[in-house]
Amino acid sequence: MNVVVCEDVTRRFEDVTAVDNVSLQVEQGEIFGLIGPNGAGKTTLLNCIEGLDRPTSGDISVLGRHPITDRHELTLRTGVQLQSAALPPRVTVAEAMRLYSAFYADPTPWPDLLTTLGIAGKQQTRVERLSGGERQRVFIALALLHNPEVVFLDELTTALDPQARLAMWEVVAGIRDQGTTVVLTTHYMEEAEHLCDRVGIIDHGQIIALDTVPALVRDHAGDTTARLTLTQRSPADLDLTTIDEVTTAQPDGVHLTVQGTGGFLQDVMTELTSRDLRVADLRATSPSLEDVFLNLTGRAMRIEEPA
Amino acid sequence: MTGYRVLTVTLFRSLTREPVGLFFSFIFAPVLVLILGGIFGNDPRPEFDGQGYIEANLPAFTSLVLAIIGVMVLPVNQLTLRESGALRRLRLTPMRPATFVAADLTVNFLVGFAGMIAALTVGWLAFGVTPSGNVVMVMLAAALGLVAFLALGYTLAGLYPSAGAATGIGNVLMILLMLTSGAFVPLSAMPDGVRTATDFSPIRQFVELVEGLWEGDAWSSLLLPTGVLVAMIIVFGALGSRLLRWERT
């Protein structure tokens, strides 16, 4: 069963269409990423899925339920970490955990959860005095207290330093490994590449591509570049472009730069071996999700747009 | 029920850990009794019909607490929770909205009621002022007034555009309420026109009620001020629940 289904979802504000005719499905047990630049419509779409906002048109179902009319049931079955979440000021981590535990009939013991998330030592610290990464962990703990079937994580790692971000990826992968479906938004392509089983790329409110990362890269990002160094100069009659999947091949003394797709590298190696040419060094650079976005939109992802 | 209890405790801690807020809701009124009592003394004065300053005005000091909590503390705290996203996060739990309102009102009521008791107790201990009427009636009236101004606070929280505006507008409203309460400027010293105008101030009506009961008047002789406070509870209660917002706009 699909955990989240969006059909032709549009959310229009006065003169802006923030989400434009989006259809997607999130499958059970996967980490699904909505990626795109700031202001692309990720959070607006997520708000509609969470029942915090109502689409102008289109249908959304979460666990087979309606996000707004079945809100109460969904609060028991979904966990939410918001981009701009907060707690009553001046409360400690333990007080926040006790408060949110009190809303559920059978919550996970929160001290165990804090241990899993690596913030067990922060129980008596006020939430506003924690570091950015620690605070995000508190909000993840609040989202997981009631063992939800799906969690929504909005820009989870935006305010974090690279080290805290890596640690957070482990946390999220751990949530998925426990069987919980994860839907997250991010504008970090590396994050989507490392973490997401499938990603939907969203730009100007529209899903412009949706697939696994390798499939997106294969379909939209073009060739892998391999730089080979041979033990001797390459012979003048060596023509690697006769290999099916090779697009370009440029010899340069002992160096060879070959671009291609699919299994071209293996065919190149076979060809070199058959001619008794030995490879001293090989570096392959794969295209990334960054290149996918560039090819699809003509813009670099990193240029941040105003919201 | 557990949700209500734990939320009340949490909101209470959140409120009382903030020294400025706590000062205004709980300490300000009793301290003002001490300061003004120290300045004016409590010797009999002709303008208070032969009573001393504190003797004549002590019950009215409780109105300070109402004004501060109703137009400032409650709305500012609620707007802060709304603007920070704390209300939005609470809304994504199974908690019923009524649970939040009940817990929030409980906390503000308890802090306000404690502030009023503290003001009266300081007047009694420092200046020996005690009511001629039944103290239980006085406290009931204080509770009624407090509920009326909490309802006003919920309406204002729905109307104020932001926490910053709430502080600014709230300050102006508070000064207006204090000036028209009759607690600090004796109304007998005011021109007739101004005195008539104060009759329309809800806080003046509260002071009438609580002073009347303090002096030993029967509650049945104080129907107008009682009616004003009950009407405030109904009107502002209905408006406040209609205007309650969880989201930043």
Side-chain angles (χ1 to χ4, degrees), chain B residues 94-241:
Chain B
M95 180 198 76
R96 310 261 174 202
T99 304
F100 171 77
V101 174
D104 186 39
L105 288 176
T106 305
V107 169
N108 282 289
F109 183 87
L110 289 178
V111 171
F113 206 61
M116 296 202 276
I117 291 175
L120 295 177
T121 308
V122 164
W124 169 49
L125 292 178
F127 304 101
V129 176
T130 51
S132 330
N134 184 338
V135 74
V136 175
M137 290 297 158
V138 173
M139 292 327 292
L140 273 178
L144 178 73
L146 185 52
V147 173
F149 276 81
L150 293 180
L152 173 67
Y154 258 72
T155 300
L156 291 173
L159 293 174
Y160 287 138
S162 68
T167 311
I169 304 169
N171 267 312
V172 174
L173 284 178
M174 204 171 80
I175 289 166
L176 272 177
L177 286 173
M178 282 166 70
L179 285 177
T180 55
S181 70
F184 310 99
V185 186
L187 291 178
S188 52
M190 286 186 180
D192 282 351
V194 177
R195 218 185 313 170
T196 313
T198 62
D199 286 342
F200 293 96
S201 168
I203 204 133
R204 178 70 215 142
Q205 296 298 330
F206 168 75
V207 170
E208 290 282 347
L209 175 65
V210 88
E211 277 187 339
L213 293 169
W214 183 270
E215 303 285 335
D217 296 350
W219 203 315
S220 55
S221 68
L222 297 160
L223 291 182
L224 174 67
T226 309
V228 168
L229 295 176
V230 171
M232 278 179 76
I233 294 175
I234 294 169
V235 172
F236 290 126
L239 269 177
S241 58

Side-chain angles (χ1 to χ4, degrees), chain A residues 116-197:
Chain A
T116 310
L117 291 167
I119 45 170
K122 300 290 178 182
Q123 285 192 24
Q124 302 312 321
T125 308
R126 292 191 187 184
V127 175
E128 63 255 40
R129 291 187 188 152
L130 297 173
S131 73
E134 290 164 346
R135 197 160 42 235
Q136 289 292 40
R137 281 155 195 257
V138 170
F139 284 105
I140 292 188
L142 293 180
L144 296 177
L145 268 176
H146 51 299
N147 297 309
E149 295 161 55
V150 52
V151 288
F152 300 106
L153 308 172
D154 194 8
E155 297 279 352
L156 183 62
T157 61
T158 295
L160 304 189
D161 58 65
Q163 203 178 345
R165 185 169 303 146
L166 281 172
M168 197 57 85
W169 292 352
E170 273 181 49
V171 168
V172 176
I175 295 171
R176 187 256 327 265
D177 295 344
Q178 310 248 312
T180 306
T181 308
V182 178
V183 178
L184 59 83
T185 72
T186 181
H187 60 269
Y188 294 111
M189 290 294 184
E190 315 88 277
E191 185 160 300
E193 282 171 356
H194 276 87
L195 207 49
C196 296
D197 298 307

